[in-house]
Amino acid sequence: MSYFKLPSGLRDILPQESARLDQTEEILRKKFKDAGFSSVRTAGIEYYDTFACIKSSVPQTKMFKMTDKDGNLIVLKPDMTLACARIAATKLRENSAKLCYFSNVYDFSAVGNSDREVIQAGVEIFGEDGAESDADAVAFAIDCLKASGLKNFIVDIGHVGFYKGLLEGSGLSEEAAEEIRGYINAKDAVNTEIALRAYGANEKAQAAILALPSLFGGVQILKEAESLTDNKMALSALAHLQNVYACLKKKGVEQYVSFDLGTVKSLSYYSGMVFTGLAEGVGAAVLSGGRYNDLCAQFGRDLSAVGFAIGLMRVLRALEAEVKSGC
């Protein structure tokens, strides 16, 4: 082993690339400030118990863990939304807040060429709810990607309530539903079907859940999805997305939007609409966000919330890909 090499998944950012990163950060700092967001800087190390005592999307296998001098288990910051929700619930007096950040988060489970240290910029909006609020978050995310210089990107929108609705009456346990969610996100139809049968899901639920990976595209997908279920929660989720789309059309950004009901993010973390920004030349999302109305309550205060995070190095890679393709 060479002592001059960095661990897998980590890298230095050299001057030329660092200058481009600085420029992108400056653009987004101005966007955030002009939109009324207040900057926060959260601690880089937190107690493991903070994450162990709540339902979150961060499994312990993703955390860099260590002990402090008193023997307490601590972790490198694995997620900024959790940190901002903790601040909003425990340290802010206002019933509404618009917070933004620039920070690094750490993923111990990343393998191959995946980043273990992720440089993010993001916003979290507390105390607002409804289709208009969701559309505002998506539209602002689109505005931020455009300001960074990206041209060829799309924002896929889904809703965890649709999947949750399909699960009602399916006979699946919470653990089985979470396992199957992973297969759906991976577009793994074979293991999805095997798991559904193994866990004894009824035939109607099996048919609807197996159709999820094909439910992506334009707004017409929402109408197609209605025919798969009569569940009230699932239909309510689709109606909400129709309202979000109507708001996005009024804002003139519908050309950047598609729908993907087969992208099912963590059921213990997100409570409603979810969205993901995708760009050519990048093997991972450049942006990810959604609504998480139940998270702040786990820190002791009930606040509705929606937000998103942008992977800054991924944005730079997407910009490079556009230059190479002549865009």
Side-chain angles (χ1 to χ4, degrees):
M1 182 185 85
S2 170
Y3 290 102
F4 302 110
K5 289 184 178 180
L6 291 173
S8 174
L10 300 175
R11 60 192 289 265
D12 295 316
I13 300 175
L14 300 183
Q16 187 174 5
E17 189 174 29
S18 182
R20 294 201 304 272
L21 181 61
D22 289 343
Q23 183 180 30
T24 301
E25 287 187 354
E26 288 173 8
I27 290 169
L28 292 177
R29 284 185 194 279
K30 187 176 188 308
K31 293 294 294 184
F32 294 170
K33 183 178 180 180
D34 290 348
F37 288 88
S38 299
S39 175
V40 293
R41 300 173 189 266
T42 68
I45 296 175
E46 299 202 38
Y47 286 116
Y48 170 77
D49 287 346
T50 298
F51 303 97
C53 294
I54 67 170
K55 291 183 177 180
S56 80
S57 65
V58 186
Q60 63 90 17
T61 54
K62 291 176 69 70
M63 301 182 195
F64 280 89
K65 297 181 285 291
M66 65 203 87
T67 55
D68 64 13
K69 62 182 180 62
D70 297 317
N72 299 306
L73 192 60
I74 57 178
V75 298
L76 289 179
K77 180 167 52 188
D79 184 276
M80 273 301 298
T81 296
L82 287 167
C84 288
R86 174 180 56 77
I87 288 175
T90 64
K91 298 186 177 182
L92 299 183
R93 295 181 180 180
E94 299 84 358
N95 291 323
S96 62
K98 297 174 69 175
L99 305 181
C100 66
Y101 59 83
F102 291 81
S103 183
N104 293 6
V105 295
Y106 299 88
D107 182 358
F108 182 79
S109 65
V111 295
N113 293 323
S114 299
D115 297 326
R116 284 184 161 184
E117 182 178 37
V118 180
I119 304 172
Q120 291 184 339
V123 301
E124 310 294 346
I125 305 167
F126 300 97
E128 297 181 9
D129 203 354
E132 185 73 39
S133 176
D134 283 353
D136 285 344
V138 174
F140 187 57
I142 291 169
D143 195 23
C144 288
L145 292 181
K146 289 171 61 180
S148 73
L150 284 179
K151 298 181 180 66
N152 295 326
F153 67 88
I154 197 76
V155 175
D156 278 341
I157 304 176
H159 198 298
V160 299
F162 185 70
Y163 181 54
K164 286 182 177 180
L166 297 184
L167 291 176
E168 286 189 346
S170 68
L172 293 173
S173 67
E174 185 176 332
E175 293 76 13
E178 184 64 18
E179 179 184 336
I180 291 168
R181 182 188 69 82
Y183 296 142
I184 293 170
N185 275 347
K187 308 296 184 186
D188 186 344
V190 173
N191 276 318
T192 298
E193 185 170 3
I194 291 172
L196 285 168
R197 291 179 177 176
Y199 289 120
N202 62 53
E203 290 185 7
K204 187 173 183 179
Q206 284 192 42
I209 292 172
L210 286 171
L212 282 174
S214 66
L215 293 176
F216 64 91
V219 68
Q220 73 279 358
I221 288 297
L222 303 181
K223 286 294 183 183
E224 292 180 26
E226 288 181 7
S227 65
L228 295 174
T229 181
D230 56 6
N231 178 269
K232 290 183 179 180
M233 181 186 294
L235 293 175
S236 177
L238 295 175
H240 181 81
L241 292 181
Q242 289 277 12
N243 290 334
V244 169
Y245 184 73
C247 293
L248 290 170
K249 282 191 70 174
K250 290 180 181 178
K251 297 175 187 297
V253 296
E254 71 274 14
Q255 69 269 30
Y256 295 101
V257 169
S258 67
F259 292 89
D260 188 352
L261 298 177
T263 298
V264 187
K265 296 187 181 182
S266 173
L267 301 181
S268 63
Y269 188 89
Y270 291 101
S271 62
M273 179 201 71
V274 292
F275 56 101
T276 303
L278 304 172
E280 294 183 8
V282 184
V286 296
L287 176 148
S288 181
R291 179 159 292 282
Y292 52 97
N293 283 353
D294 303 325
L295 184 57
C296 286
Q298 297 185 58
F299 291 107
R301 188 178 178 198
D302 191 7
L303 287 172
S304 56
V306 64
F308 62 83
I310 300 171
L312 296 180
M313 296 306 297
R314 293 173 183 174
V315 167
L316 293 189
R317 289 201 290 269
L319 289 170
E320 290 174 358
E322 287 189 352
V323 170
K324 289 179 181 178
S325 66
C327 296

